[in-house]
Amino acid sequence: MGTPKIQAVAFNCFDTLLRITAPTNPWRSLLAEASRTPGAQRLDPRREPIATIEEFAEACGVAFRSEWRADLDREIASIEPMTDTLAVLSTLRAAGFRLALASNLAPAYVEPALELLRDFIDTACLSCAPEIRAVKPEPAFYSALQRKIGLPAVEILMVGDSLVSDVQGARAAGMSALHLVPGATAPGPGQVRCLADVPKLLGPN
């Protein structure tokens, strides 16, 4: 039997398909406050299906600060596609590949990300979804991704900028993976230096 052919490509979100041009890290500040507050708990905003940062602070047990909301709003307003994102997704879809967004995201970022990408992807597997609540590279996340795509793991390619979360996690689940290393002068095996290299490597489906 021949090598299984890639039928679907899953992409990480931030620093792969999209970028935050004005990062403010409100979650880091909130969780730092939780670590200093007696009795508070440091929940993972990527894992919890808690809709707002205000509700997340309450769930952690810390007093909410208005600057966290302002910082989050600035981050969300600064989200934009990476240079090649929409062209690459369009090329892959035209070539017959099934496309997925596969990312660790807090709920606040889900709709802004989908607003930019939903016309170009077939499905989304997100860590904060109530039926998932698993973060890459956990096996449960990649099991959910396979279910969402509806194909055997060997027919799915994962592309992302994190060696551990996107590459090692996907490969441990039986998927292929490409590590996005922006600007690499001599990409090694399993690496690409830009999204535009992905369709070139895959060819027509």
Side-chain angles (χ1 to χ4, degrees), residues 163-198:
L163 179 61
V164 174
S165 295
D166 300 318
V167 177
Q168 294 176 356
R171 289 176 179 167
M175 300 176 186
S176 298
L178 287 174
H179 186 200
L180 178 62
V181 186
T185 54
Q191 293 182 339
V192 290
R193 57 187 169 185
C194 64
L195 282 176
D197 289 340
V198 176

Side-chain angles (χ1 to χ4, degrees), residues 8-9 11 89-90 92-93 97-101 120-123:
V9 187
F11 292 90
L89 295 180
S90 296
L92 290 172
R93 171 167 275 184
F97 292 96
R98 195 174 304 178
L99 303 180
L101 179 65
F120 301 89
I121 61 172
D122 300 297
T123 191

Side-chain angles (χ1 to χ4, degrees), residues 11-21 75-76 78-86 89 101 103 105 109-118 120-121 126 159 161 180 195:
F11 292 90
N12 177 52
C13 186
F14 289 118
D15 297 321
T16 301
L17 293 181
L18 306 178
R19 60 187 166 196
I20 295 174
T21 60
E75 277 203 342
I76 290 173
S78 76
I79 295 172
E80 64 182 26
M82 304 289 275
T83 303
D84 296 331
T85 293
L86 303 186
L89 295 180
L101 179 65
S103 199
L105 289 182
Y109 300 92
V110 172
E111 190 54 36
L114 293 179
E115 181 75 19
L116 294 169
L117 298 173
R118 63 164 46 95
F120 301 89
I121 61 172
L126 305 175
V159 180
D161 64 294
L180 178 62
L195 282 176

Side-chain angles (χ1 to χ4, degrees), residues 40-186:
Q41 49 183 337
R42 288 174 56 90
L43 301 175
D44 188 338
R46 306 167 303 168
R47 191 188 299 270
E48 302 296 334
I50 301 174
T52 69
I53 194 169
E54 290 86 352
E55 292 170 321
F56 184 81
E58 182 179 3
C60 287
V62 299
F64 185 74
R65 296 183 180 179
S66 60
E67 61 260 33
W68 296 337
R69 164 53 64 184
D71 286 346
L72 177 59
D73 289 344
R74 279 195 292 272
E75 277 203 342
I76 290 173
S78 76
I79 295 172
E80 64 182 26
M82 304 289 275
T83 303
D84 296 331
T85 293
L86 303 186
V88 167
L89 295 180
S90 296
T91 297
L92 290 172
R93 171 167 275 184
F97 292 96
R98 195 174 304 178
L99 303 180
L101 179 65
S103 199
N104 295 338
L105 289 182
Y109 300 92
V110 172
E111 190 54 36
L114 293 179
E115 181 75 19
L116 294 169
L117 298 173
R118 63 164 46 95
D119 291 341
F120 301 89
I121 61 172
D122 300 297
T123 191
C125 182
L126 305 175
S127 60
C128 65
E131 74 277 11
I132 297 177
R133 299 189 69 178
V135 299
K136 295 179 295 181
E138 295 172 358
F141 181 95
Y142 283 102
S143 294
L145 176 60
Q146 184 181 343
R147 291 194 305 271
K148 290 265 187 181
I149 293 176
L151 290 171
V154 293
E155 295 181 5
I156 300 171
L157 171 68
M158 179 70 202
V159 180
D161 64 294
S162 170
L163 179 61
V164 174
S165 295
D166 300 318
V167 177
Q168 294 176 356
R171 289 176 179 167
M175 300 176 186
S176 298
L178 287 174
H179 186 200
L180 178 62
V181 186
T185 54

